[in-house]
Amino acid sequence: MSGYPLAGLKVLDLSRVLAGPVATQILADLGADVVKVERPGSGDDTRQWGPPFLGGDGPSAYFLSCNRGKRSLALDLKHPAAREIVDRLIGVADVLVENFLPDALSRYGLTPERLATLNPRLVSCSISGFGRTGPLADVAGYDLVTQAGTGLMSITGEPAGPPLKVGVAMSDILTGLYTVISALAGLHGRGRDGLGGAFDLSLADCTLASLVNVVQSALVTGERPQRWGNAHPQIVPYESFETADGFLVIAVGNDDQWRKMCAAIEHDDWAQDVRFRTNADRVRHRSELLGLLRPVVRQRTRRHWQELLSTIGVPHGSVLAVDEALATPQVAAREMILPVVDDQGRSYSVIGSAIHYQGEPPRTAQAPPELGQHTDEVLRQWLTLDDVRISQLREQGVIA
């Protein structure tokens, strides 16, 4: 494969904030033509979610993080004349992503049944807090509420501390990834029978499913999972350790690695100790083992441990701050930071796509759009509207 795998696909993005924009940004990274519909005057909520703002008065860093590679169409969905524009956009789109509440879906004519009549080939992805069915279908979704209500917060944090949210809006991110999977599955299915389909994605479902082994353990045992901090409930030692000059994670994944580590730190006796011989033994005697191992790790620097553990093949890594991680040679080698110049002539960097593939074009990034930057362009290209009609729509307040 060479070039962009989704080149030629049209994606209509009626979503805002994070889950939907993350999904459509990934589709844009893969070559799709993504048109982001925004409210005239204010645009996506996240344009104002700062500081920080680019250059002090530009778009927020939050908005920049999930809207690269898209085109912005400023369209007032509440205007009566906007209905025809939206219907025509849907009629030529391959994928639709939206995150409206049920009443708005009906008001804007975006129910799955009507979408199928407008464009039988359309793959639609509907994002909500709790899904389109069930007693919470009408409740708006927020990442923090979802992390709380699915158990994710209950298993995050130190054992003796309070429940904590993940440091990024993980429920939104997970839902964005599931949305991309759904869109691609729908496009593949369409290739067989020519018909699209409707996908119903919720922050709650996606977060709960992503608890994987933790939620499955609760189903198997009937017991409530606990918080483990940086430790692992089923593997020991597998957590962060304080060294002489910072924190390091050590991830001993099997008994052979454990024996190698014991030999390297001159504690073969630990490998033979009946309390620590196997991983199951180490899990049962977690506190005793850590009480012995932690003082040893604190005696040497991170560099010492990294060199030693690399030599014997035990997984490990320094605990880095975000700015430290961005400055690593690996990030540079993977071209994960890309320069852009926006429509206002501002130069800055954005995080790159995590997807690398054979035959990928040279990695570049298109700056996130200014509000309404591509309104006329999209209406001409997608709907073949002429300048007279575009001017009429602008005079009526339908577009900006």
Side-chain angles (χ1 to χ4, degrees):
M1 178 178 66
S2 62
Y4 294 103
L6 299 185
L9 282 174
K10 292 183 173 69
V11 177
L12 183 60
D13 184 2
L14 298 181
S15 69
R16 61 193 189 283
V17 185
L18 190 55
V22 162
T24 54
Q25 178 171 263
I26 294 172
L27 297 174
D29 288 337
L30 294 172
D33 179 11
V34 177
V35 170
K36 181 180 181 67
V37 175
E38 300 187 74
R39 292 170 294 185
S42 58
D44 190 311
D45 305 52
T46 61
R47 285 185 181 273
Q48 288 77 47
W49 283 14
F53 295 99
L54 180 63
D57 59 356
S60 71
Y62 201 117
F63 177 82
L64 298 178
S65 74
C66 53
N67 288 288
R68 66 173 180 266
K70 305 177 188 180
R71 298 197 284 175
S72 175
L73 166 61
L75 176 66
D76 184 2
L77 295 179
K78 295 181 179 180
H79 195 290
R83 178 70 167 266
E84 178 190 354
I85 300 298
V86 172
D87 286 355
R88 291 188 60 185
L89 291 169
I90 290 170
V92 298
D94 295 291
V95 176
L96 167 69
V97 178
E98 55 81 11
N99 62 349
F100 293 110
L101 285 172
D103 63 335
L105 284 178
S106 299
R107 187 166 64 252
Y108 297 142
L110 299 176
T111 60
E113 297 77 18
R114 187 167 182 275
L115 291 175
T117 64
L118 291 172
N119 183 353
R121 290 175 52 80
L122 182 72
V123 176
S124 65
C125 296
S126 185
I127 298 171
S128 60
F130 299 95
R132 300 308 183 187
T133 58
L136 299 179
D138 293 329
V139 178
Y142 295 90
D143 180 90
L144 180 61
V145 175
T146 304
Q147 289 199 36
T150 58
L152 179 55
M153 282 182 64
S154 76
I155 62 170
T156 305
E158 293 298 328
L164 295 174
K165 72 176 182 68
V166 180
V168 70
M170 190 54 66
S171 291
D172 278 311
I173 301 301
L174 291 168
T175 305
L177 296 175
Y178 273 106
T179 300
V180 173
I181 294 168
S182 300
L184 297 179
L187 291 168
H188 178 73
R190 188 181 74 172
R192 292 197 307 266
D193 58 20
L195 297 176
F199 292 84
D200 172 6
L201 298 131
S202 86
L203 273 67
D205 294 346
C206 294
T207 305
L208 188 62
S210 299
L211 298 187
V212 288
N213 60 300
V214 175
V215 73
Q216 189 62 51
S217 294
L219 292 171
V220 168
T221 66
E223 298 176 358
R224 179 178 295 174
Q226 66 182 77
R227 287 187 293 283
W228 289 97
N230 290 327
H232 194 290
Q234 284 98 27
I235 308 175
V236 176
Y238 193 102
E239 58 183 273
S240 60
F241 292 84
E242 186 177 7
T243 72
D245 62 350
F247 284 87
L248 181 82
V249 295
I250 300 175
V252 176
N254 56 55
D255 295 335
D256 183 56
Q257 290 177 358
W258 170 242
R259 287 188 290 270
K260 289 179 179 178
M261 180 172 169
C262 289
I265 63 176
E266 300 180 353
H267 274 288
D268 281 304
D269 54 313
W270 293 355
Q272 303 306 316
D273 193 313
V274 293
R275 297 173 298 171
F276 313 139
R277 193 172 298 162
T278 69
N279 180 69
D281 296 328
R282 295 192 294 277
V283 170
R284 283 189 288 268
H285 299 281
R286 179 190 303 265
S287 60
E288 297 99 309
L289 186 149
L290 294 177
L292 296 170
L293 182 57
R294 288 193 185 283
V296 172
V297 177
R298 275 197 297 268
Q299 292 174 7
R300 301 296 186 93
T301 64
R302 283 189 298 182
R303 182 174 180 178
H304 168 85
W305 290 116
Q306 287 179 300
E307 292 175 351
L308 177 65
L309 296 172
S310 294
T311 300
I312 61 177
V314 171
H316 62 280
S318 288
V319 178
L320 302 179
V322 174
D323 58 306
E324 292 175 313
L326 290 172
T328 60
Q330 184 66 18
V331 168
R334 297 291 284 178
E335 296 183 86
M336 288 301 295
I337 301 175
L338 300 174
V340 296
V341 179
D342 68 12
D343 188 56
Q344 303 299 313
R346 295 172 296 210
S347 300
Y348 57 97
S349 296
V350 295
I351 194 72
S353 170
I355 300 175
H356 299 256
Y357 53 93
Q358 187 176 15
E360 179 183 11
R363 288 173 73 83
T364 59
Q366 177 184 326
E370 297 295 314
L371 176 58
Q373 178 181 341
H374 306 96
T375 297
D376 294 17
E377 179 180 294
V378 170
L379 294 177
R380 291 191 191 101
Q381 293 177 0
W382 277 36
L383 305 185
T384 65
L385 298 188
D386 59 27
D387 291 345
V388 173
R389 180 56 178 152
I390 291 173
S391 295
Q392 291 173 343
L393 291 171
R394 185 162 283 113
E395 290 171 1
Q396 294 170 0
V398 182
I399 62 174

